[in-house]
Amino acid sequence: MSAPLNEEIQHISYCNIRPVVFHGYVAPFIFIYGAWLYVWIAIYGTEEYFEGGLIALAIIGLIQVLTSLFCLWSIGVRCALTCATVTDPFKADWAKVVPTPNNGFTQLVRLHYDNDENGRELWFIFQKTKYIYDAEEKKQFFPLSFPDNHSIKYYMEWRGYQEEAEIKTAEKQFGKNNMAMDIPKFMELFHERATAPFFVFQVFCVALWCLDEYWYYSIFTLFMLIAFEATLVQQQLRNMSEIRKMGNKPYVIQVYRNRKWLKVLSDELLPADIVSIGRSQEDRLVPCDMLLLRGPCIVDESMLTGESVPVMKEAVETLEMDHILDMELDGKLHVLSGGTKVVQHTPPSKTGPGLKASDNGCIAYVLRHGFNTSQGKLLRTILYSVKRVTANNLETFAFILFLLIFAIVAASYVWIQGTRNLERNRYKLFLECTLILTSVVPPELPIELSLAVNTSLLALTKLFVYCTEPFRIPFAGKIDICCFDKTGTLTSDNLVVEGVAGLKGAEILPAIEAPLETIQVMATCHSLVQLDEEMVGDPLEKATLNAVQWKLTKGEAVIPIKRNAHGLKIFHRFHFASALKRMSVIAGHTPPGAMDTEYIATVKGAPETLQKMFKDLPSDYDSVYLAMARRGARVLALGYKKLGTMSHQQVRETTRDDIECNLHFAGFIIISCPLKNDSKSSVKEILLASHYVCMITGDNPLTACHVAKELRITKRETVILQPPNESESSWHWKSIDDSVVLPAFSLDMRKDLINVYDLCLTGEALLYLQSDHPKLLKILLPNTKVFARVAPKQKEFIITTLKSQGYTTLMCGDGTNDVGALKHADVGVALLANAPEKLPEKRRQREEHVTGADGDAFNGKMPLSPPSGQRGRLTGKAKQRAVARGDNLAPTQKKLASMLKDLEEEEKSQLVRLGDASVASPFTSKLSTVMSVCHIIKQGRCTLVTTLQMFKILALNALILAYSQSVLYLDGIKFSDGQATMQGLLLAGCFLFISRSKPLKTLSKLRPLPNIFNFYTMLTVILQFAVHFTSLVYLVREAQKLDPKEEPVNLEAEFKPNLLNTTVYIISMALQVSTFAVNYRGEPFMESLKNNKPLVYSLLFSAGAIVCLACGLIPDIADQFQLVQLPSEFRNTVITVILTDIISAFMVDRTCRFLFGSGRLKQA
């Protein structure tokens, strides 16, 4: 496969549509019809071969209809049959766009041509994104490029669109800033679903049943099909209207155009517009992605990332002018994303250079708009990600082919045996053969598979886990390696500042007793902001500021609460960057009576990063911080540098490099990160459930190894791969306490290293192995338990390498630093920072048994009513409020209303809303707990096993049906219309309840089989069918002995009940119902059969109905379904055979399951 053009498109081809007469479903068939009519009329003769001729015409007609339908089902087939391919896009009218896997479906899109001064421009729109042809260099289509890669100088000097002509050109190029989604009409969507392959196939089957005079059964099936599809269409329309509401509503905004500030609607904004943006009023969100030029903001990004903590955004005016904007690096700090909310803004200074708006808003430059923004990308993910894949499509196809072999054998037998009797109606015979072939593909298949995934989606939503890509749920059942970030994922956000070490050796001083310079570093070096009455920002920084007992004001100043010391104002921040592992701040104060401000630079970061920046290092620097890290504490080195008096201009021109050198050492701040309440139990459960677990963190390797040991991720001695140093001249493995030192490469990797020690790799070691020992890296990677000091890009590399080695990976982290890894993992789970660890009280109460009035009603007690006088004093408004609450309803009605409300919520929960989903990951947990990973794996396993057992049940039922319709058909056995309808109803009920199985509360050590097409499934299906086949043959022979047929069978005669028909109907129905009980997987992946009450009741009802019919307990019902009374001795034989059959099938399945029925973890 060729390399994809970008993240969305795999490849593009060009074509023109041919005239209709030359389409593949018209021209060839004109010749075929003509040829057959000539052969039929001129050579064979219509009188001798009347039926054969009609059957051949019907087959040709069916092939033509199928060919034309294939043009609807597959864009590839449509292009092959209706289009002429061209290589030059300028000679084409249409383009076939194939998206990358799991990114929507192939589309045929119209090409548009625009003539401008640069020549002829060629473009198309695919999935709401405009693609333009680069005719000069690349000769390929590229997404519309936006002005997001210029220098800071370019942005600062830009003065918006100066002329009306420029605005018109930009509007033509970029389009308007709207995220409108056209909602199709009901009939359009229904037409789309009604021409889907399975629906057409089901309607075709219904037509065949009608021809075979199964009127009731056909009408019942058709009604069920149409009702199901109509419900899905209705749900789809509701979801579309919900997604449509997610787009931003236009409002008036100030824009600098034609050299003046104008008021325009936000949906008219264009990339490169200069706008004034202020605090969001009402529900006015940031209308598109903007670069902040002047004035800082605090933004709530929960609609995009799901994170509830507002983040600080700084203007680019402080950056170096020749710096080129990098959206990945600079976007987090300097770009306001569309769909977010500005909660606080500071107007730009009036004295500084640059534009100022009349409404005192911050000045921003529009980078991207419409569906190209971060919000637009999330909406496109929700709209276009593949939602239907529940099992491997290739395997499903192979499984159906496997069943088709049996059906072809049965149909061939019927045709060969039937044609021997020259009096038999060939038309009826052909119809029966077709019915046998179609019985292999169960019409319920797509419904059952979608039900299984929807049930899991719903269950996860109730656990506050939201999924934007449901096709990933079955992947969760196949996970081999679970990777976790440490900080904020496994460890809590409730950090404890133990104090400051390194000033008096390893002694830890309480933060409040540290020297003034150390306290000043802790008080100023942070990114916290005061929002209204609340301080927001990183929990670690909040804990540090509280520990030194200083407070932050709205004017970016920090002042001591108790201590007699002067405050400091923060003038400039060089923000923390994962790649740099440090942050620095310029702060200052004006001494009493002085005119000039005295400045101080404060720095904090990873001890090994800051080590080279200190000019006066204590001799025990390494030993102190390593000792603290070994016991699991988070260690940050602190440094400062007095800058003296400086002008504002000098402060602005001071670079990061100027500050981060010749620093004075101010100690190590020691912060303990306690584990989250359920981290230990969750990791233990995941490990016991046959998964590999590893930790991938940016933290110190010693701290990471300590946490890994606490969580039992590592159980043996851990060795870390370290670079050459004073004691070792080459790369080597070293234990945490330095007691073990091993050569890096001159030992037997498996025998002397992997089988003896747990491994830890650092980011530095990863880079070295990647460049110098790539083969060794492939061996080490799946066996490494801890990855420490890794950059975000390296997290992504670890996940993609593990995937390329065939491991199914899960990554769990926060939605900010781990985006790449979360996106690339088979299952990415974003835990939201600062989210609660437990269910909100309100929700938990609703999920528990209803208490109060509702509970009393169900305990047989009536709630006490208020005194009559009190009741009478209700005002009109109070009454309305009471009615709205439902106080006027009787307790039972209230319960019903509550249940209806829950049902409505269930429907809504299938749609993921903005604010629930994170742009970072397919799964988002609104609860900050690793237990969410356990829930996802449980649901994944449950869905996988449900799919597997459905295939087994459908296969067995199809085989039983194929036999009943073939061999028995020739003996004159045929079900009546009423019998077929009842059989359909009972099976539909069982299928509905089997797909709603719930997982167990704990994960099992056993792993489910990852694929449908496996030895266990094949063997159990063949052996169970052999058991059923034996039972059927034996009972048919016994029935024939009791009721022998004298005259030849007339298949066209009206249905008459007889002993043979009754026997076959009862046993085939008993066998089909028993397959549910026998093949229900149950524990250890889902609730046992006895706990799945709806299914148990459904099976008991079906079994009861079969016993009643077999024993003739209710003669009227037996007459209704055209069954005869079985002789008492034969009835006992039938019941004995059925029971023996069920027990034998059960024993066969359990033996096969014991021997071959569990999955194996991929060996590392």
Side-chain angles (χ1 to χ4, degrees), residues 776-962:
L776 178 62
L777 179 62
K778 285 193 174 179
I779 298 168
L780 292 176
L781 216 58
N783 291 289
T784 302
K785 297 291 173 74
V786 180
F787 297 92
R789 281 282 185 253
V790 287
K793 276 281 174 199
Q794 288 180 309
K795 290 185 182 184
E796 196 176 313
F797 167 76
I798 294 164
I799 295 292
T800 49
T801 309
L802 286 170
K803 275 178 74 180
S804 69
Q805 288 181 253
Y807 292 93
T808 307
T809 56
L810 177 144
M811 175 71 197
C812 177
D814 63 64
T816 47
N817 297 327
D818 309 320
V819 178
L822 290 168
K823 278 280 183 198
H824 284 90
D826 293 295
V827 177
V829 187
L831 299 188
L832 301 186
N834 296 327
E837 285 184 39
K838 292 181 179 174
L839 287 174
E841 205 61 40
K842 215 173 181 182
R843 179 66 179 259
R844 199 184 309 144
Q845 282 172 2
R846 201 170 70 214
E847 285 179 3
E848 288 168 5
H849 292 297
V850 183
T851 53
D854 299 355
D856 291 342
F858 278 81
N859 293 332
K861 299 173 191 169
M862 288 297 287
L864 292 168
S865 41
S868 55
Q870 199 176 324
R871 251 198 333 258
R873 286 200 295 274
L874 281 174
T875 63
K877 282 189 179 177
K879 277 181 186 172
Q880 283 174 10
R881 285 197 299 272
V883 169
R885 283 198 307 269
D887 291 355
N888 63 324
L889 300 177
T892 44
Q893 286 177 302
K894 210 168 178 183
K895 180 70 182 171
L896 189 64
S898 158
M899 284 166 72
L900 285 170
K901 195 174 177 188
D902 282 352
L903 270 175
E904 201 177 303
E905 275 185 13
E906 272 195 20
E907 272 187 10
K908 284 182 183 172
S909 65
Q910 288 181 13
L911 177 74
V912 180
R913 289 169 176 74
L914 290 180
D916 290 339
S918 167
V919 277
S921 163
F923 291 90
T924 308
S925 171
K926 296 284 267 189
L927 298 178
S928 180
T929 164
V930 184
M931 191 53 78
S932 304
V933 172
C934 296
H935 293 319
I936 291 166
I937 295 174
K938 283 173 206 166
Q939 290 297 343
R941 285 185 171 188
C942 188
T943 304
L944 201 62
V945 170
T946 302
T947 307
L948 182 69
Q949 71 189 12
M950 275 183 183
F951 272 96
K952 280 164 61 188
I953 293 164
L954 290 167
L956 283 164
N957 287 354
L959 292 174
I960 292 167
L961 204 60

Side-chain angles (χ1 to χ4, degrees), residues 948 952 1009 1012-1022 1024 1078-1079 1081 1148-1158:
L948 182 69
K952 280 164 61 188
L1009 289 162
I1012 300 159
F1013 210 69
N1014 58 67
F1015 184 68
Y1016 158 67
T1017 307
M1018 297 296 104
L1019 189 64
T1020 189
V1021 165
I1022 291 167
Q1024 282 186 64
V1078 169
N1079 293 287
R1081 185 66 170 96
V1148 161
D1149 181 66
R1150 292 305 180 269
T1151 307
C1152 290
R1153 186 192 293 182
F1154 176 75
L1155 295 172
F1156 316 107
S1158 57

Side-chain angles (χ1 to χ4, degrees), residues 33-44:
Y33 280 121
W36 173 246
L37 285 171
Y38 170 75
V39 169
W40 185 26
I41 295 164
I43 298 172
Y44 287 107

Side-chain angles (χ1 to χ4, degrees), residues 550-561:
W550 282 46
K551 70 175 182 182
L552 180 68
T553 67
K554 280 192 179 178
E556 293 278 65
V558 281
I559 51 172
I561 298 170

